Amino acid sequence: MWTREPVEDRVRPLARLLVAVLIAGVCAALLQWLSDAPHRRTDMDILWHAVRHLRSGGDPYGPGGPGPGYEGDFPMYYPGTALAAFLPLALLPLEAARLVFACGGAFLLAYAATREGWFRLPMFLSGAFLHAVLAVQWSPLLTAAWLVPGWAWLAASKPNLGAVLLSATPSWRIWRSTFAGGFFLLGASLVLDPAWPVKWLALLRGAPHFIPPVLLPGGFLLLAALLRWRRPEARLLVALGCIPHTTVAYEALPLLLVARNWRESWLLCGLSLSVFFLQIASDTRVAGAPTPERIAAFAELAERTGMLSVALLYLPATLLVLRRPNEGPAPAWAAWLAGRLSAAATTGLGRAGVAAEPRDS
């Protein structure tokens, strides 16, 4: 997907496979170690409860929430397409579903990220990746989708990040995979619950923690990356900055794809760790407080972490991008639009030429 300067020879698939298995195994060991923690909850749990509640005839978007047994703070902010994608994992016990989801995402990302060399390995020590694994979040899977066209259909599970993917990629294969998967997941979700889009949009209007980083202090500076608009990583950076999302550490994982060599990878890894540990230090949510208060506290945490991410990740990534020439393939949508406009202009000029030809008297 990426147009970049050659960094090192591509590594053998078997070596990449072994490294991906090792990384997934470490993640599994970490999650298994944490499984005995009292009141252990992850971000994936809401999907597991919601799918089971939906299959039993309930409404995860209704007043009862994602379903009996769910003890989280948030209503069902995931779209129905995410429920459709998660449907097979909801057949597993909760702990097994966590392991498969988190370790599967780690495996796919590790295998995809090492295709062009080992220089992206520091990503797997970053605060963004660590937070994504601990929270059992979507970001490793969706970051892998930016690198492997065959997995781009997963982007429909989170439409905001799917829009980032489409704006960044120069690959028609990723566009086709995203739209094909999107239509399939949308159709499956409407079969499960035909009214979910209306109910989901109503819940989103009350979500206080979805923030576009570009609106945070200093965030407008990352728009300077538009000066390198031909580079996929520049478009990824700007799109991720402009799309509203939860601005906590794990959502910044795609930014680590900006790195083009070992030095840049270690730099972004260290900055991501700083954001993650500062987020932990500033988390002021009070256990046992009413749910609205915990949601408001999380929204404040997301805003603080977003400001840290802008200062420590987005702006350094912008500087890395600005050091590179404005070279690379145009995004797929721009190439399509340019082709259509060129064809229309050629047709129009041809018709005008025919009309201007003198007729025999």
Coordinates of all heavy atoms in Angstrom, one line a residue, residues 30-41 95 98:
L30 N -0.1 -12.3 28.4 CA -0.5 -11.1 29.2 C -1.9 -11.1 29.6 O -2.3 -10.8 30.7 CB -0.1 -9.9 28.4 CG -0.4 -8.5 29.0 CD1 0.3 -8.3 30.3 CD2 -0.1 -7.4 28.1
L31 N -2.8 -11.4 28.6 CA -4.2 -11.4 28.9 C -4.6 -12.5 29.9 O -5.5 -12.3 30.7 CB -5.0 -11.6 27.6 CG -5.0 -10.3 26.7 CD1 -5.7 -10.7 25.3 CD2 -5.6 -9.1 27.3
Q32 N -4.0 -13.7 29.7 CA -4.3 -14.8 30.7 C -3.8 -14.4 32.1 O -4.5 -14.7 33.0 CB -3.5 -16.0 30.2 CG -4.0 -17.3 30.9 CD -5.5 -17.6 30.6 OE1 -6.0 -17.3 29.5 NE2 -6.1 -18.2 31.5
W33 N -2.7 -13.7 32.2 CA -2.3 -13.3 33.5 C -3.3 -12.3 34.1 O -3.5 -12.3 35.3 CB -0.9 -12.7 33.4 CG -0.3 -12.1 34.7 CD1 -0.1 -12.8 35.8 CD2 0.0 -10.7 34.9 NE1 0.4 -11.9 36.8 CE2 0.5 -10.7 36.3 CE3 -0.1 -9.6 34.2 CZ2 0.9 -9.5 36.8 CZ3 0.3 -8.4 34.8 CH2 0.8 -8.3 36.1
L34 N -3.8 -11.4 33.3 CA -4.8 -10.4 33.8 C -6.2 -11.0 34.0 O -7.0 -10.3 34.6 CB -4.9 -9.3 32.8 CG -3.6 -8.4 32.7 CD1 -3.8 -7.4 31.6 CD2 -3.4 -7.6 34.0
S35 N -6.4 -12.2 33.5 CA -7.8 -12.7 33.6 C -8.3 -13.0 35.0 O -9.5 -13.0 35.3 CB -7.9 -14.0 32.7 OG -7.1 -15.0 33.3
D36 N -7.3 -13.2 35.9 CA -7.7 -13.4 37.3 C -8.0 -12.1 38.1 O -8.3 -12.2 39.3 CB -6.6 -14.2 38.0 CG -6.5 -15.6 37.4 OD1 -7.5 -16.1 36.9 OD2 -5.4 -16.2 37.5
A37 N -7.7 -11.0 37.5 CA -8.0 -9.7 38.2 C -9.5 -9.5 38.5 O -10.3 -9.8 37.6 CB -7.5 -8.5 37.3
P38 N -9.8 -9.1 39.7 CA -11.2 -8.9 40.0 C -11.9 -7.8 39.2 O -11.3 -6.8 38.9 CB -11.1 -8.5 41.5 CG -9.8 -8.0 41.7 CD -8.9 -8.7 40.8
H39 N -13.1 -8.1 38.8 CA -13.9 -7.1 38.0 C -13.2 -6.7 36.7 O -13.3 -5.6 36.3 CB -14.2 -5.8 38.9 CG -14.8 -6.1 40.2 ND1 -16.0 -6.7 40.4 CD2 -14.2 -5.9 41.5 CE1 -16.2 -6.8 41.7 NE2 -15.2 -6.4 42.4
R40 N -12.5 -7.7 36.1 CA -11.8 -7.4 34.9 C -12.8 -7.1 33.8 O -13.8 -7.9 33.6 CB -11.0 -8.6 34.5 CG -10.5 -8.7 33.1 CD -9.3 -7.9 32.8 NE -8.7 -8.2 31.5 CZ -8.1 -7.3 30.8 NH1 -7.9 -6.1 31.2 NH2 -7.6 -7.6 29.6
R41 N -12.7 -6.0 33.0 CA -13.6 -5.7 31.9 C -12.7 -5.2 30.8 O -11.6 -4.6 31.0 CB -14.5 -4.6 32.3 CG -15.6 -5.0 33.3 CD -16.7 -3.9 33.5 NE -16.2 -2.6 33.8 CZ -16.7 -1.8 34.7 NH1 -17.7 -2.2 35.4 NH2 -16.2 -0.6 34.9
E95 N -14.0 -15.1 28.0 CA -12.5 -15.0 28.1 C -11.9 -15.6 26.8 O -10.9 -15.0 26.4 CB -12.1 -15.9 29.3 CG -10.6 -15.6 29.7 CD -10.4 -14.2 30.1 OE1 -11.2 -13.6 30.8 OE2 -9.3 -13.6 29.6
R98 N -12.1 -12.9 24.2 CA -11.1 -11.8 24.4 C -9.8 -12.3 23.8 O -9.1 -11.5 23.1 CB -11.0 -11.6 25.9 CG -12.1 -10.8 26.5 CD -11.9 -10.8 28.0 NE -12.9 -10.1 28.7 CZ -13.0 -10.1 30.1 NH1 -12.2 -10.8 30.8 NH2 -14.0 -9.4 30.7

